[in-house]
Amino acid sequence: MELNIYTIIGIALPIFHLMGLFTAVDAIMKSRTSQGAIGWALLLIFIPYIALPFYWIFGRSKFQGYVNTRRIRSRSMKDNTQTFRVVDSSVVADFEHHPELLVLERLADFPYTHSNSIRLLVNGQATFDAIYDAIEAAKEYVLLQTYIFRDDGIGERFREQLTRKAGEGVQIYFLYDEIGSYQLSRKFIDELRDAGIHVSAFHTTRGKGNRFQLNFRNHRKIVVVDGKVAAVGGHNFGDEYLGLSKKFGPWRDTHIEIRGPAVQAIQWSFLEDWYWASGQTPTVNWNEEPSEEAPHSALVIPMSPADELETCGLFFVHAINMARRRIWIASPYFVPDKQVICALQLAALRGCDVRIMLPERPDHLLVYLSSFHFISETAIADRISFYRYQPGFLHQKVLLVDDQFAAVGTANLDNRSFRLNFEMMVAIVSHSFAKSIEEMLLADFEHCRKVDPHELEERSFWFRLAVSGSRLMSPIQ
């Protein structure tokens, strides 16, 4: 019997509503907030034919499968890392009398280590030159992980170098996020593999229940060479990070180069991601190399949707709560949750100098529009200062607390970094390094305009409507 269109609709609609009902139960059981649970449940029950695909793609806050893989991976590597993580106290920095710092150590599940040499890398030229030099000196292996890798001038420069080093017998492991690097051609990847380079996408959709997920991104930017030197920060691999984009112009970003025991923690984080992506564990160097002349204590804080706690959000909240004199944050996005907003407001009420530096030019329109709402919501008269960076695009992720604590890494001040992305921040406890961050940020503030927190009220009705609509999408921005 031939089915007509009305019969098909009559069969499909009840099926959709039944699937929506069952999925609504899943949303109620697993949603992070009551507001999220209510919102998803209502959408799934009343308009399931629209809500179901969105829930399958954006509905989760935990990365299924990675947690179990992490347990297996940790057990298999326990012997190799026992010295660094448990026994060898010679490289562990003692902050027993600084409970505010120990909180972050427990959150990171890594210890602070002393005797680290940390070099601040301002903008793309300094960053790529430092990474290039480190790879050029590689004798055993290179671990390279990035969110975006482009097949352009910078991409070609590093492809040639990695290919040459692989030919010299250096083991190269290249991990990229397939969503961020969606433009990377199959030809480019095949050329790397043909050169003997180990290449893998992160495989966001790999694992039970993740088939349709596009919500989780590996946003880390890591390079580790021979277990001795590492680079972490905001730069991906592409010409725009050298300021060559006609759209964005000069690109303002920050990276750090680390030599010392902290490199081991960065290496551990890469190996966890590599094991998830490939099921393999590279052989690496676990010998710490502290430098007596290096003054910096550092804590590596990996963050991910596979963590038991919301590591990234808790890091920002606690760092802001630690501030007694000032808290300066530079971020390309400002889409905070209520906890971060409250922490910033309380810091301002304590009398702290609270400054937030954001870009003037947007790269993601929805996030840019949302920032207007959150600036208005966070502002307390003149107690919190917001700045818009004028020349080009500001992409750095930097935090400065008082005169001793600073952090540089990959995490933005938004819900995606707080809960959905794999991120990494490196916290440095050092007066001299904090001073270098202060000088860098003061130079950046000179290129900013101070924001009137009420400027949204002066915008047109349609702009304010767009801001309000964008704010509704803030949980996945």
Side-chain angles (χ1 to χ4, degrees):
M1 185 174 98
E2 192 173 324
L3 298 177
N4 60 41
I5 186 64
Y6 299 105
T7 304
I8 294 173
I9 293 174
I11 295 172
L13 284 180
I15 292 175
F16 266 109
H17 279 278
L18 188 62
M19 291 174 64
L21 182 62
F22 281 109
T23 308
V25 174
D26 182 77
I28 291 169
M29 298 291 290
K30 296 179 180 179
S31 289
R32 180 180 54 82
T33 64
S34 58
Q35 296 94 328
I38 292 171
W40 277 119
L42 290 174
L43 289 171
L44 289 163
I45 290 170
F46 290 107
I47 49 171
Y49 21 87
I50 297 175
L52 277 168
F54 278 91
Y55 184 79
W56 291 336
I57 295 172
F58 299 113
R60 292 198 183 136
S61 59
K62 287 292 181 184
F63 195 3
Q64 300 296 325
Y66 192 100
V67 177
N68 291 333
T69 301
R70 170 180 284 173
R71 293 194 188 103
I72 296 169
R73 166 73 176 73
S74 297
R75 285 197 297 269
S76 71
M77 289 301 297
K78 184 176 180 181
D79 293 340
N80 290 340
T81 61
Q82 189 76 13
T83 298
F84 171 66
R85 294 173 68 86
V86 181
V87 178
D88 189 356
S89 61
S90 65
V91 298
V92 175
D94 182 10
F95 290 115
E96 180 180 353
H97 301 297
H98 298 273
E100 73 281 4
L101 296 176
L102 291 179
V103 169
L104 294 179
E105 182 175 286
R106 292 163 186 161
L107 184 65
D109 195 29
F110 284 111
Y112 289 92
T113 58
H114 58 69
S115 302
N116 294 286
S117 171
I118 301 178
R119 181 159 64 110
L120 190 60
L121 303 171
V122 179
N123 290 331
Q125 193 65 57
T127 296
F128 293 131
D129 286 349
I131 293 174
Y132 188 89
D133 290 345
I135 295 174
E136 195 63 26
K139 302 297 183 184
E140 300 176 27
Y141 62 88
V142 174
L143 313 178
L144 192 156
Q145 176 177 7
T146 188
Y147 177 60
I148 297 172
F149 197 99
R150 300 201 189 281
D151 184 2
D152 55 15
I154 281 292
E156 184 61 24
R157 175 190 182 188
F158 280 97
R159 185 193 69 79
E160 291 177 355
Q161 185 190 36
L162 295 173
T163 298
R164 177 165 46 79
K165 295 301 291 187
E168 296 173 5
V170 176
Q171 295 296 307
I172 311 291
Y173 298 88
F174 174 53
L175 181 63
Y176 65 95
D177 184 273
E178 63 268 40
I179 298 174
S181 300
Y182 72 96
Q183 292 181 326
L184 197 59
S185 68
R186 173 56 57 184
K187 180 177 180 290
F188 188 90
I189 294 170
D190 288 342
E191 287 176 349
L192 293 176
R193 290 193 173 121
D194 289 344
I197 296 170
H198 308 277
V199 182
S200 179
F202 181 64
H203 296 311
T204 299
T205 58
R206 179 175 169 268
K208 183 180 179 181
N210 294 327
R211 182 178 181 85
F212 302 104
Q213 282 292 335
L214 298 176
N215 213 17
F216 304 116
R217 320 279 170 79
N218 200 313
H219 195 242
R220 294 169 178 162
K221 299 95 173 171
I222 296 169
V223 177
V224 178
V225 175
D226 293 343
K228 299 176 181 180
V229 57
V232 178
H235 290 91
N236 293 290
F237 288 79
D239 285 349
E240 68 263 40
Y241 298 92
L242 284 173
L244 300 178
S245 168
K246 294 181 180 179
K247 178 180 179 181
F248 297 111
W251 190 280
R252 178 66 190 91
D253 220 328
T254 300
H255 236 71
I256 51 174
E257 179 192 77
I258 306 170
R259 297 175 185 269
V263 173
Q264 305 295 307
I266 298 170
Q267 182 168 259
W268 173 273
S269 173
F270 176 92
L271 293 182
E272 278 195 335
D273 288 349
W274 184 264
Y275 187 80
W276 163 262
S278 70
Q280 299 174 348
T281 302
T283 300
V284 297
N285 167 36
W286 291 110
N287 296 319
E288 306 94 358
E289 296 195 8
S291 171
E292 295 181 0
E293 299 178 357
H296 307 307
S297 294
L299 175 67
V300 177
I301 311 172
M303 308 156 169
S304 83
D307 294 347
E308 181 179 359
L309 301 174
E310 291 179 351
T311 306
C312 187
L314 289 174
F315 164 76
F316 276 103
V317 168
H318 184 68
I320 296 166
N321 286 337
M322 284 197 305
R324 292 296 174 266
R325 192 174 74 81
R326 69 176 168 195
I327 173 74
W328 295 356
I329 302 174
S331 173
Y333 314 124
F334 188 66
V335 190
D337 60 12
K338 193 64 178 177
Q339 289 84 352
V340 170
I341 291 173
C342 291
L344 289 169
Q345 291 173 332
L346 287 171
L349 293 173
R350 288 196 302 272
C352 294
D353 176 12
V354 181
R355 303 188 194 183
I356 311 293
M357 188 189 310
L358 306 170
E360 183 75 84
R361 305 183 190 182
D363 67 333
H364 297 295
L365 183 59
L366 287 178
V367 181
Y368 174 74
L369 290 171
S370 294
S371 69
F372 284 87
H373 166 83
F374 288 103
I375 288 172
S376 296
E377 184 177 348
T378 306
I380 310 176
D382 294 325
R383 293 181 182 270
I384 298 178
S385 299
F386 290 91
Y387 296 84
R388 293 281 191 186
Y389 187 75
Q390 298 298 297
F393 183 65
L394 179 123
H395 190 251
Q396 63 177 327
K397 304 92 164 56
V398 176
L399 177 147
L400 175 63
V401 177
D402 297 338
D403 298 319
Q404 188 180 11
F405 184 93
V408 178
T410 72
N412 300 314
L413 204 62
D414 63 6
N415 281 291
R416 176 160 289 284
S417 285
F418 293 167
R419 298 182 178 89
L420 300 175
N421 284 352
F422 287 74
E423 305 281 9
M424 177 178 288
M425 295 296 288
V426 180
I428 299 99
V429 183
S430 164
H431 285 286
S432 60
F433 187 80
K435 183 65 176 177
S436 66
I437 292 290
E438 176 189 36
E439 292 171 354
M440 179 186 74
L441 293 180
L442 284 173
D444 290 336
F445 284 127
E446 291 294 320
H447 297 287
C448 294
R449 72 170 179 88
K450 193 170 183 180
V451 174
D452 179 355
H454 304 293
E455 69 178 26
L456 179 60
E457 300 171 7
E458 301 172 1
R459 297 285 189 131
S460 70
F461 167 80
W462 295 110
F463 186 88
R464 286 183 281 118
L465 180 62
V467 167
S468 297
S470 299
R471 176 180 65 91
L472 298 177
M473 300 295 290
S474 62
I476 59 172
Q477 290 177 9

